[in-house]
Amino acid sequence: MRFTAVAAAAIMGLGLVACSSDDDSSSDTTEASGGDSSAKLVICSDIPYAPMEMEATEETTPSGFTGFDIDLVQAIADGADKTLEVKVTPFDGIFAAMDAGNCDAVISSVSITDERKANMDFTDPYFDAEQSILTTKANAEKFTTVESLAGKTIGVQSGTTGEEYVTANKPDGATVTALPGAADLFAALESGTVDAVIQDYPINAYRAVQDPNFVVTAKITTDEKYGMATKLDDSATLELLNKGLAAAKSDGTYDTIYEKYFGEKPSS
């Protein structure tokens, strides 16, 4: 994600949440009213994962959830005259849940990768992403690069491109600890179980501005972009999402939502 210090400062007023769930069978579900499935757009999302997807605690929303991703897909659903239904699903089982028919799409800060594209379709990219290092304030001057974490324990979220990046670029003697969600990573960092967390920049930055004990010490530039995922054979949902994204960008809705969460309009 490409966002500036202005953006980080702007999200200081947002409430703190993180990301964790138990398993697919116990996932929370917000049911939309009505029984006509054709009138719904059902998505799977790993919530909370602030500021991209989170529970709507201070405002009323149609789905009961909010965040950059959720507000964007809500606008797409509204434009298609569909009711948005959100199924909270742990990220490590989220694509299997879609394949099983639990939802029409996965919209959960998903990075587009060649490996994933072999098993699912993606919309046009809608968000630039990059990795980052989060550590405690006490260690802020020690851990400023991936190489500086040699011999240390690095926390990552299971099943993410952050995990893939660290596995491929692990410094000498480092231990990689994969945990289910961001909340687990932050708790491990606070307790000292891990020395640093490497994951998507906006998630780490959001936590750092909410907790003065945490500091983002580095952004790791990648070519990652977020996309909304659908099953390979679901051209109807893919077309609906792509049309909605194009409309949101052309009519200013995308810019409005971006500015709401990041304090500035996107750079491109």
Side-chain angles (χ1 to χ4, degrees):
M1 288 187 168
R2 310 192 190 289
F3 84 60
T4 65
V6 172
I11 57 177
M12 290 183 69
L14 296 176
L16 172 65
V17 286
C19 172
S20 179
S21 296
D22 295 325
D23 54 45
D24 290 346
S25 63
S26 62
S27 298
D28 296 329
T29 303
T30 296
E31 294 290 349
S33 58
D36 183 3
S37 61
S38 65
K40 296 180 183 179
L41 174 61
V42 184
I43 69 163
C44 290
S45 193
D46 184 11
I47 298 172
Y49 197 59
M52 305 303 284
E53 35 266 335
M54 46 195 172
E55 292 185 19
T57 57
E58 297 181 0
E59 60 180 313
T60 301
T61 67
S63 68
F65 299 94
T66 189
F68 180 86
D69 282 346
I70 302 299
D71 289 6
L72 183 57
V73 72
Q74 182 68 63
I76 293 171
D78 290 346
D81 294 323
K82 289 184 178 289
T83 299
L84 179 65
E85 179 181 335
V86 179
K87 293 190 174 182
V88 179
T89 311
F91 199 84
D92 58 5
I94 206 165
F95 302 119
M98 179 176 66
D99 288 340
N102 291 352
C103 54
D104 301 311
V106 172
I107 301 175
S108 193
S109 304
V110 179
S111 295
I112 302 170
T113 68
D114 289 339
E115 182 180 2
R116 288 172 177 167
K117 285 167 68 175
N119 299 296
M120 64 197 78
D121 282 327
F122 280 96
T123 62
D124 297 329
Y126 69 91
F127 203 98
D128 291 334
E130 57 191 356
Q131 298 298 314
S132 63
I133 299 173
L134 181 76
T135 190
T136 59
K137 189 174 182 179
N139 288 325
E141 295 184 5
K142 295 180 185 178
F143 306 138
T144 57
T145 65
V146 175
E147 291 74 22
S148 68
L149 291 165
K152 303 301 180 181
T153 303
I154 305 169
V156 298
Q157 184 176 1
S158 302
T160 65
T161 52
E163 181 181 25
E164 293 174 4
Y165 176 86
V166 174
T167 299
N169 297 278
K170 184 176 70 171
D172 291 342
T175 299
V176 179
T177 298
L179 297 172
D184 307 290
L185 291 172
F186 299 144
L189 182 58
E190 187 169 17
S191 68
T193 304
V194 301
D195 297 296
V197 169
I198 294 182
Q199 65 173 339
D200 290 2
Y201 174 67
I203 314 308
N204 278 345
Y206 187 85
R207 178 69 181 201
V209 297
Q210 296 297 320
D211 189 335
N213 293 318
F214 292 153
V215 180
V216 173
T217 58
K219 288 194 289 185
I220 304 167
T221 302
T222 68
D223 293 327
E224 292 180 42
K225 295 181 183 295
Y226 289 160
M228 300 177 180
T230 68
K231 288 186 288 187
L232 284 172
D233 59 351
D234 191 357
S235 58
T237 300
L238 185 66
E239 182 179 4
L240 182 153
L241 293 173
N242 269 328
K243 284 185 175 180
L245 281 172
K249 289 185 176 182
S250 66
D251 67 13
T253 299
Y254 181 94
D255 287 0
T256 298
I257 296 171
Y258 192 102
E259 188 170 19
K260 173 183 176 181
Y261 289 100
F262 306 120
E264 61 183 6
K265 288 184 169 59
S267 58
S268 60

